[in-house]
Amino acid sequence: MREQIAPTKSNLLKINERLNIAREGYDLLEQKREILVSELMRKMEHVKILEKDLDKRVETAYPCLKRMLVVVGRERANKLAQNITYRYESREKTVVTAGMKIPGIEIQIPAMDLKYSPVNSFAECDETVLEFFELLKICTELAAIRTIVWRLAREVKRTQRRVNSLEKMVIPIASETSKYIESVLEERERDSFFASKLLKRKRSFRTVK
């Protein structure tokens, strides 16, 4: 498969220039893809560690909540929690990873604070709050890293498509076109050479006569 263009020297120069650019682009994109994949795998390992931490924290936090409800009672626990609010902030944050700037998220959770009166609470209340604050920290960190993973995976996919396009379409077509034009030009040169030789022979023959 090749481009349908006139086999001229100027077109050959253009095709070869385009082919060189495509090959350089392919090498650069392939390097980029390898770096992105490596970084993606590293982030995925981080995700796995956080998921394990999350599972462990869930295994301690929810039993702690159940114990607190048994000791304090649901009604009293609801009254203690009724007027308690914690403020947190989330914002988009540019993260530099694999040499690229990727939009991520940053979630700022409030400092751990027991906002109820110690007189009206039990040790189980304090323990439950501490457990769920730790759980919240892991959840926010996991959300942030998963956002980066998702965007890295999307960038890997986009880069892979461009690599495939260069490897399977742009470079082969340009290469075939270049070979075709070169062969046509070489054939023309041979024909011109033989025609020139034949013309000289005829002139030489006439001179002898």
Side-chain angles (χ1 to χ4, degrees):
M1 189 176 179
R2 60 179 173 80
E3 291 183 48
Q4 300 300 317
I5 59 173
T8 63
K9 288 184 178 180
S10 61
N11 280 340
L12 179 61
L13 289 172
K14 290 177 184 177
I15 286 292
N16 285 340
E17 184 180 359
R18 194 189 311 163
L19 184 58
N20 289 334
I21 291 171
R23 283 171 174 161
E24 288 174 6
Y26 172 82
D27 291 339
L28 289 172
L29 284 172
E30 184 63 21
Q31 290 174 24
K32 177 184 176 181
R33 188 192 66 81
E34 289 175 0
I35 292 170
L36 286 171
V37 169
S38 176
E39 185 64 15
L40 179 60
M41 298 305 294
R42 194 175 70 83
K43 296 291 185 187
M44 286 296 294
E45 287 300 317
H46 192 182
V47 167
K48 288 179 183 178
I49 292 170
L50 287 173
E51 285 176 342
K52 287 180 182 178
D53 291 344
L54 181 64
D55 290 340
K56 289 178 183 177
R57 186 59 63 178
V58 166
E59 287 175 1
T60 58
Y62 281 91
C64 186
L65 175 62
K66 288 180 181 179
R67 286 195 303 272
M68 186 271 288
L69 292 174
V70 169
V71 173
V72 178
R74 288 183 179 274
E75 186 176 348
R76 190 169 185 180
N78 285 334
K79 285 182 180 179
L80 283 171
Q82 195 169 15
N83 297 319
I84 296 176
T85 57
Y86 291 97
R87 294 186 64 184
Y88 67 92
E89 294 180 1
S90 63
R91 64 184 180 89
E92 192 169 282
K93 177 185 177 182
T94 300
V95 178
V96 179
T97 181
M100 294 177 55
K101 290 182 179 180
I102 296 178
I105 59 169
E106 181 180 55
I107 303 172
Q108 293 181 340
I109 61 174
M112 207 289 295
D113 184 18
L114 301 176
K115 295 194 175 185
Y116 47 81
S117 172
V119 177
N120 298 320
S121 68
F122 295 82
E124 287 78 8
C125 294
D126 300 347
E127 187 182 357
T128 301
V129 171
L130 289 170
E131 283 284 346
F132 275 87
F133 255 94
E134 291 302 316
L135 183 62
L136 182 60
K137 285 180 185 177
I138 297 172
C139 287
T140 54
E141 188 178 355
L142 189 56
I145 197 75
R146 275 180 172 168
T147 300
I148 298 299
V149 165
W150 179 75
R151 285 173 173 158
L152 271 174
R154 189 174 62 176
E155 189 62 32
V156 167
K157 190 175 181 181
R158 184 186 295 121
T159 304
Q160 185 63 60
R161 281 200 302 266
R162 293 171 68 188
V163 167
N164 289 342
S165 176
L166 286 170
E167 182 182 18
K168 297 177 181 178
M169 291 290 293
V170 177
I171 292 175
I173 290 173
S175 182
E176 284 300 313
T177 305
S178 177
K179 289 176 183 176
Y180 164 72
I181 294 176
E182 284 177 350
S183 67
V184 171
L185 293 176
E186 286 172 3
E187 188 176 350
R188 285 177 183 173
E189 285 181 5
R190 283 195 300 270
D191 290 344
S192 178
F193 175 77
F194 287 127
S196 176
K197 292 284 284 185
L198 184 60
L199 184 59
K200 285 181 180 179
R201 189 175 296 177
K202 284 182 179 180
R203 286 176 180 172
S204 177
F205 180 73
R206 286 174 185 172
T207 303
V208 171
K209 265 184 152 184

